[in-house]
Amino acid sequence: MKIGFIGLGNMGNPMAANLAKAGHEVTGFDMADVDVAGVTIAGSGADAAEGADIVITMLPNGQILRAVANEIIPVMQSGSVWIDCSTVDVDSAHAVADQAKDAGVLSVDAPVSGGIGGAAAGTLTFMAGGSDDAFVKAEPLFDIMGQKAVHCGESGAGQAAKICNNMILGVTMIATCEAFALADKLGLDRQKMFDVVSTSSGYSWTMNAYCPAPGVGPTSPADNEYQPGFAAELMLKDLRLSQQAAESADADTPMGQVATALYQKFVEAEDGLGMDFSAMLPRFEKRGRG
Ligand code: NAD
């Protein structure tokens, strides 16, 4: 298949390389000077998209996505498929899907989870929104770049699933970290805390699979001085998207709101920038109630 791939950053680069490795003819474009194994680099997004059976975008935010949509949709052939794997706001996902539909282009919003490691290994999870037709055509590429693709519903449903999942993740990480900090002050050994909670009703992915306490539970960024992993600023981005969507849909999300404010403070006013999102634990550890 002829594939155009726009946005060849940390995630897009290995994803495009995996498609080329699987035998597809991939033409890519990025604003930055990039080199991707097996991929021909074009001079613009439109050049990469023109004549492609499938175009994939992996971009930083909704504003950039909308600009790229204006550039590529007019040159895409009718019946071709556009898969947007970026994490963006639900409103932008809807807007570009409508634009694609008007031009006869099938579109899928398909944000991912699994991070840079998952992108390199081809083990991402895709959360997809779009018509059945579009999903069926995108599925073989999801199989190359990932290990699981869930068709969540119509356009925007992929982004909705992604931000709801990550809102739970942010809130749960904070709860896990503050509970560890409280346990410390109550004189409870961290290993004992893990042994109990990981097998009791307080268990969660953040405790059991990504424990924020160094030396406890499976190996996680906590064991590597909180180098990301999943950076606190990326968690902040996703939490902000959740609150933007909650505003737009008039949903009451008090815990999501508090988690957003806390990660904002951590990233913008404290030392959270560039740290893994589990570095909330050393943050709480140093503080009292005041
Ligand atoms: P990145 O910043 O490394 O890559 C984005 C790329 O887009 C950059 O190389 C940039 O030069 C390029 N770009 C910007 N504007 C462009 C334009 N107009 N035309 C062409 N290229 C343009 O970011 P990333 O880590 O690869 O993340 C990409 C998306 O995936 C984001 O939406 C992010 O939230 C999401 N995501 C990231 C991770 C992760 O762990 N990094 C995990 C899941 C989802």
Side-chain angles (χ1 to χ4, degrees):
M1 223 160 356
K2 273 188 81 173
I3 300 172
F5 204 119
I6 300 164
L8 300 164
N10 289 322
M11 297 290 290
N13 191 318
M15 290 164 73
N18 281 336
L19 293 171
K21 203 163 76 183
H24 291 293
E25 187 186 331
V26 186
T27 304
F29 174 71
D30 194 288
M31 297 281 274
D33 212 2
V34 290
D35 197 17
V36 186
V39 174
T40 307
I41 302 297
S44 70
D47 285 350
E50 197 161 13
D53 304 303
I54 295 199
V55 174
I56 301 177
T57 44
M58 192 48 163
L59 299 161
N61 59 48
Q63 199 186 350
I64 293 174
L65 176 70
R66 287 177 193 242
V68 169
N70 288 335
E71 195 187 341
I72 62 173
I73 290 175
V75 302
M76 286 181 68
Q77 48 200 4
S78 174
S80 61
V81 181
W82 174 24
I83 309 172
D84 176 42
C85 296
S86 330
T87 303
V88 301
D89 57 286
V90 178
D91 291 342
S92 292
H94 283 141
V96 298
D98 287 347
Q99 204 176 336
K101 195 172 176 191
D102 290 345
V105 168
L106 295 167
S107 73
V108 189
D109 53 286
V112 303
S113 111
I116 299 166
T123 56
L124 295 168
T125 296
F126 290 87
M127 300 149 229
S131 67
D132 288 341
D133 266 9
F135 182 76
V136 165
K137 288 194 172 167
E139 218 172 2
L141 301 193
F142 293 151
D143 288 343
I144 294 168
M145 297 183 287
Q147 61 184 359
K148 190 173 173 66
V150 180
H151 189 190
C152 299
E154 290 301 317
S155 295
Q159 297 297 347
K162 166 89 186 173
I163 59 172
C164 288
N165 179 73
N166 281 21
M167 187 172 81
I168 296 173
L169 179 63
V171 167
T172 315
M173 180 56 86
I174 290 170
T176 304
C177 291
E178 67 183 34
F180 259 121
L182 171 60
D184 287 347
K185 293 204 173 174
L186 296 176
L188 190 59
D189 178 72
R190 283 184 168 179
Q191 184 63 50
K192 302 293 178 202
M193 167 80 175
F194 176 83
D195 291 346
V196 171
V197 176
S198 65
T199 54
S200 300
S201 46
Y203 85 103
S204 65
W205 185 85
T206 57
M207 175 60 86
N208 292 37
Y210 204 93
C211 183
V216 176
T219 304
S220 69
D223 300 305
N224 188 25
E225 290 170 350
Y226 297 98
Q227 293 309 301
F230 185 47
E233 59 268 27
L234 290 179
M235 174 47 81
L236 175 60
K237 172 192 171 184
D238 291 356
L239 283 168
R240 280 182 167 144
L241 292 176
S242 76
Q243 294 314 290
Q244 200 177 329
E247 279 283 329
S248 193
D250 190 27
D252 189 19
T253 56
M255 300 297 284
Q257 212 168 343
V258 172
T260 308
L262 205 48
Y263 271 105
Q264 178 171 351
K265 198 167 166 213
F266 186 45
V267 168
E268 292 179 356
E270 301 170 352
D271 56 359
L273 186 68
M275 302 287 278
D276 187 74
F277 83 122
S278 61
M280 274 286 167
L281 175 53
R283 176 194 183 276
F284 282 124
E285 210 179 280
K286 289 186 231 127
R287 304 167 71 92
R289 278 188 88 72

